[in-house]
Amino acid sequence: MFTGIVEEVGQVVAARQAGENRVVTIHARKVLEDLRVGDSVACSGACLTVVACEPEGFTVELSQETLAKTAPRWSVGARLNLERALRADGRLGGHVVTGHVDGTGKVRGVRPNPGAMEVTIQVPQGLRPYLVPKGSVCVDGVSLTVVEVKEEAFSVWLIPHTLAVTTLGQLEPGAVVNLEADILAKYLERMLEAREVLR
């Protein structure tokens, strides 16, 4: 479990194929402090298992399923938002994030607003019911508040701090981002579906 509060921005420094999987090494500092093999790290929203720790980074393996369902962030030079798994005694500063990417969205527009940057993201049809104004959404591993929902897109406003400490400050129209809908909304939908079946 994660919170969507990014600890640092890392960078892919090595990437190779190992059979069907892709092995990626990520340069990092902050998240290495107590990191161990087997730990989970959210990498731009995707929960990945650490398979090796090094003095200046860590290595993860990505299955074909992960590669197919996430934004193309897994080549040398790519910058990633990093967050270690939430400790039981930690603060839940963002919202409950699983690190299970539901799909990808495409940035349709980026425009400055007073004190913030407004970003509009086209969302897959299957994720649209989970997006509500003032609700939560995770974009590339960052916990954000939905400002407006339109038929095929939603918008978020990014404050200067978010722009400075995450990769979202580099978003441009056409960019592909990882999206995770609010887990509470997904559970509620499933419970209502099960209730209908039992009637």
Side-chain angles (χ1 to χ4, degrees), residues 149-178:
V149 179
K150 301 175 183 176
E151 286 187 8
E152 298 180 352
F154 69 96
S155 63
V156 292
W157 283 36
L158 308 177
I159 62 173
H161 176 76
T162 302
L163 295 171
V165 302
T166 73
T167 62
L168 301 187
Q170 283 74 52
L171 288 180
E172 296 179 348
V176 179
V177 293
N178 292 322

Side-chain angles (χ1 to χ4, degrees), residues 101 134 139:
V101 175
K134 307 308 178 194
V139 178

Side-chain angles (χ1 to χ4, degrees), residues 140-153:
D140 268 356
V142 183
S143 173
L144 298 172
T145 300
V146 176
V147 174
E148 185 179 9
V149 179
K150 301 175 183 176
E151 286 187 8
E152 298 180 352

Side-chain angles (χ1 to χ4, degrees), residues 62-192:
L62 292 90
S63 68
Q64 288 296 311
E65 170 71 7
T66 302
L67 293 169
K69 296 293 174 63
T70 60
R73 300 275 186 273
W74 315 116
S75 299
V76 173
R79 300 172 73 242
L80 303 170
N81 295 316
L82 303 178
E83 180 191 356
R84 289 169 291 181
L86 176 65
R87 290 171 42 127
D89 63 349
R91 289 189 176 95
L92 186 59
H95 72 283
V96 177
V97 175
T98 64
H100 303 156
V101 175
D102 290 312
T104 59
K106 183 176 286 189
V107 176
R108 286 175 50 175
V110 178
R111 69 173 185 176
N113 275 317
M117 184 72 71
E118 181 182 1
V119 179
T120 302
I121 301 171
Q122 184 173 340
V123 64
Q125 185 171 359
L127 294 184
R128 293 172 194 167
Y130 306 122
L131 298 169
V132 296
K134 307 308 178 194
S136 297
V137 66
C138 193
V139 178
D140 268 356
V142 183
S143 173
L144 298 172
T145 300
V146 176
V147 174
E148 185 179 9
V149 179
K150 301 175 183 176
E151 286 187 8
E152 298 180 352
F154 69 96
S155 63
V156 292
W157 283 36
L158 308 177
I159 62 173
H161 176 76
T162 302
L163 295 171
V165 302
T166 73
T167 62
L168 301 187
Q170 283 74 52
L171 288 180
E172 296 179 348
V176 179
V177 293
N178 292 322
L179 299 175
E180 181 185 332
D182 189 348
I183 187 69
L184 299 178
K186 290 186 284 187
Y187 274 124
L188 178 59
E189 178 188 56
R190 183 67 182 125
M191 288 168 63
L192 292 174

